[in-house]
Amino acid sequence: MNETRTLEADLLYEVRDGIGRITFNRPQARNALTFDMYRRLAEICTGAGKDRALKVLILTGAGDKAFASGTDINQFRAFKTPQDAIDYETGIDHLLGTLEQCQVPIIAAINGVCAGGGAGIAACCDIRIGVKTAKFGFPIARTLGNCLSMSNLARLSALIGAARLKEIIFTARLIEAAEASGLGLLNEVVEDRPALDRRADELARLVASHAPLTLRSTKQALLRLQLKVQEDEELILMCYQSRDFREGMDAFLNKRKPQWTGE
């Protein structure tokens, strides 16, 4: 069993047996996100591709009230110039792009309110499961009166459609888990927090057992389609010229379980 831990007051990161678990750890504030938490999350996702032992990430929030309720409003008190607003949205776009580009699959285990920046983060994860009390939304039209960047709007509209996205933002409502499942915001709904943790671990072990290059190329190719980038030759060659592809063929023909290395 391999195990590493990074303990920071507001964000916890643990890796065990190839599965990394990131926890937003401000339950007293419904896991509202600070700028330092955004920065640390981006660092973890950037470094994930450099650790061959890491196969999958689970992203969740502490407690049973919230995954992440958005950016901590106190963070905005430091804004003094127009550039502060531009820099903030640019930073959010960078973080979400880092999640999308992360070399390993990311599972969001959503345990309550998932709003604002938290909903943006969840939308960029590869698989989203949530408890039946989970709620999604961007209630900025009735709270701060700010907006989402065009890049963030593009990500969300690609996921649920522009018409539905406008309705959600214009009404500033939070979507219940059953509706979120129908929209594709949730892949699966479970009963409660213990069931969520069990299912997230089960999914993570399943995904971690599969060929890393297949998962990576699929993730990258779908992102390129979203961005209307039609170049995939190096992704095809990455898989078909890999040791894993030869290992997969040999294992299949010899009726044994393949030993994936990501090479």
Side-chain angles (χ1 to χ4, degrees), residues 227-242:
L227 298 175
K228 296 182 170 59
V229 177
Q230 301 294 327
E231 299 175 1
D232 66 353
E233 284 189 3
E234 84 279 12
L235 297 178
I236 292 171
L237 294 176
M238 178 181 71
C239 289
Y240 281 84
Q241 293 185 328
S242 68

Side-chain angles (χ1 to χ4, degrees), residues 128-142:
R128 290 171 296 278
I129 58 176
V131 296
K132 64 180 183 180
T133 54
K135 295 181 179 181
F136 286 82
F138 298 88
I140 52 178
R142 64 174 168 80

